[in-house]
Amino acid sequence: MVKQDTILEIKQLATSFFTEEGEVKAVDGIDLKVLKGKTLGIVGESGSGKSILSLSILRLIFEPGRIVGGEINYKGEDLLKKTNRQMRSIRGNHISMIFQEPMTSLNPVYTVGEQIAESFQIHEKMNKKTALRKAVDILRLVGIPSPEKRVHQYPFELSGGMRQRVMIAIALACNPELLIADEPTTALDVTIQAQILELIKDLQKQFQMSVMIITHDLGVVAETCDEVAVMYCGKVVEYASVDQLFSAPKHPYTQGLLNSLPRHDEDQEELEAIRGTVPNPFERVEGCRFAPRCPHAIPLCFDHLPELDHVDGRHEVRCWIYTDKWEAKPEVRAE
Ligand SMILES: Nc1ncnc2c1ncn2[C@@H]1O[C@H](COP(=O)(O)OP(=O)(O)O)[C@@H](O)[C@H]1O
Ligand SMILES: [Mg+2]
């Protein structure tokens, strides 16, 4: 196998919130890799720790939250060992992030041009006039029509889709090597959503960026990603290439997510939702977090947490079914 360059390697990352009711392990020992020029998807239901994972990478976790363990190696250097000042430089020059809600991330009292230009002024020490000219170029690059006019408009004068394009423009202004997009299209309607994903894909190819897309939507994963990590309750339960994940999902949770996706190619009688709900985050659980909702769970699953382990090439799954401890019901082992 050809060795691929890893740009980001997360090891045993753990982030907790220390609240009056107790500790919430929002990110609970995560290992991940983002390869150069590739897209990694992070998928999971609301509350599974996706946003806290992405904010942890940029060290944007505040009280009562704290990164309590692990490593975040970006091009071989651990971001958890950087000073705050070094982190600001990383956020301005290497790793950019876009969020779900562009309206709350854009400043309403500055024009979009000023907000993009600010990045060029700070990081590339350009004067305002040159920076505004570059802002027009980058608005054109992200597909905003009449960028010469738009550059002087305020966020409220733009549609949701256009605002998200502006956010992408701001994120790209520093020429990042890694773009983290947290539910970048969730607030948008379906057609605009497709256009924004297409844009992210184009830009990624054009600039050989690495991208980490966070989403609760497997459709978005299928459209954009090379590899996927499925998260459940702060842990990765399955890690695979997109092809492997969609053709041979291994974890019962992933299988459930896929079963609840509408399919276009066949008559689907009824969408099967995953039964039960995400457990209470304060509850200490010894076993697999998914066991109470799992159709295959046996007593072992409730008492012991399985490791995230290789099943097939790079395909990894955290489930007893695929271990030699599993004798109960061999027929559920989807090969
Ligand atoms: N400020 C906070 N205080 C306490 N707990 C929090 C806070 N922010 C997040 N959490 C906990 O972290 C968990 C993961 O949150 P999040 O990463 O936002 O989920 P996702 O993005 O997957 O929907 C939540 O279920 C919540 O319990
Ligand atoms: Mg989130």
Side-chain angles (χ1 to χ4, degrees):
M1 202 164 77
V2 187
K3 191 175 174 306
Q4 282 170 307
D5 279 349
T6 302
I7 184 152
L8 183 76
E9 181 166 17
I10 295 171
K11 290 185 182 164
Q12 284 302 305
L13 182 64
T15 301
S16 285
F17 288 87
F18 297 91
T19 69
E20 278 176 12
E21 294 98 303
E23 178 185 0
V24 177
K25 296 185 173 187
V27 170
D28 191 9
I30 284 207
D31 296 293
L32 284 179
K33 272 185 190 174
V34 183
L35 302 175
K36 191 161 172 46
K38 299 281 183 198
T39 301
L40 172 71
I42 309 287
V43 72
E45 283 166 297
S46 176
S48 53
K50 307 181 297 297
S51 294
I52 300 304
L53 168 65
S54 50
L55 292 169
S56 300
I57 294 171
L58 285 174
R59 289 212 355 224
L60 294 172
I61 298 291
F62 305 103
E63 285 291 314
R66 206 166 66 226
I67 298 174
V68 290
E71 292 173 22
I72 303 171
N73 295 307
Y74 173 71
K75 299 211 281 189
E77 289 183 42
D78 188 357
L79 297 185
L80 296 182
K81 299 209 169 87
K82 300 275 179 199
T83 61
N84 288 338
R85 193 179 163 173
Q86 288 170 322
M87 271 320 288
R88 272 197 297 279
S89 160
I90 298 231
R91 290 193 287 262
N93 299 297
H94 296 269
I95 308 179
S96 275
M97 184 155 176
I98 49 178
F99 300 92
Q100 175 177 333
E101 220 346 291
M103 201 54 200
T104 52
S105 322
L106 287 170
N107 191 327
V109 304
Y110 292 100
T111 64
V112 300
E114 285 167 330
Q115 296 185 55
I116 301 169
E118 190 188 7
S119 167
F120 294 127
Q121 287 171 274
I122 295 172
H123 300 294
E124 294 184 34
K125 313 262 181 287
M126 280 179 195
N127 65 39
K128 189 163 179 188
K129 204 166 156 214
T130 320
L132 276 172
R133 241 193 341 261
K134 287 254 314 194
V136 172
D137 291 342
I138 202 156
L139 285 175
R140 188 176 295 115
L141 181 78
V142 298
I144 293 196
S146 328
E148 301 83 356
K149 193 176 112 210
R150 294 290 187 182
V151 78
H152 300 298
Q153 291 186 326
Y154 290 88
F156 75 87
E157 298 178 81
L158 305 178
S159 67
M162 286 297 154
R163 283 200 289 262
Q164 193 54 298
R165 285 178 193 264
V166 170
M167 286 311 299
I168 295 173
I170 293 173
L172 287 178
C174 73
N175 209 356
E177 285 181 80
L178 173 63
L179 176 69
I180 302 177
D182 187 357
E183 310 257 8
T185 59
T186 304
L188 305 172
D189 71 49
V190 180
T191 0
I192 309 293
Q193 194 169 355
Q195 291 168 3
I196 295 288
L197 292 177
E198 206 50 48
L199 171 67
I200 293 176
K201 254 178 12 188
D202 281 355
L203 294 167
Q204 189 232 358
K205 275 207 207 93
Q206 203 173 329
F207 297 103
Q208 272 296 297
M209 259 186 317
S210 305
V211 178
M212 188 165 142
I213 288 198
I214 286 137
T215 179
H216 64 273
D217 183 343
L218 276 168
V220 170
V221 169
E223 281 296 309
T224 49
C225 298
D226 299 294
E227 296 192 304
V228 201
V230 181
M231 275 183 75
Y232 191 77
C233 293
K235 289 188 181 291
V236 173
V237 295
E238 184 157 4
Y239 195 20
S241 71
V242 164
D243 294 344
Q244 285 171 323
L245 193 92
F246 283 87
S247 63
K250 301 281 186 198
H251 200 284
Y253 176 61
T254 316
Q255 293 168 352
L257 284 180
L258 283 166
N259 281 336
S260 58
L261 266 191
R263 291 187 294 263
H264 306 294
D265 53 337
E266 58 199 271
D267 292 332
Q268 197 176 8
E269 302 238 311
E270 203 178 309
L271 295 183
E272 273 177 66
I274 305 173
R275 61 182 185 160
T277 50
V278 177
N280 171 356
F282 297 106
E283 203 185 322
R284 288 280 79 87
V285 182
E286 295 294 322
C288 168
R289 308 293 188 276
F290 188 61
R293 301 173 75 184
C294 182
H296 309 303
I298 56 172
L300 172 72
C301 306
F302 290 90
D303 297 338
H304 299 279
L305 177 71
E307 296 287 318
L308 182 66
D309 217 345
H310 291 269
V311 279
D312 183 10
R314 290 176 63 109
H315 199 155
E316 293 173 40
V317 62
R318 186 189 285 283
C319 179
W320 288 118
I321 292 177
Y322 305 94
T323 68
D324 52 17
K325 293 229 164 48
W326 189 263
E327 292 157 357
K329 296 176 258 177
E331 70 281 3
V332 302
R333 217 183 271 207
E335 299 294 349

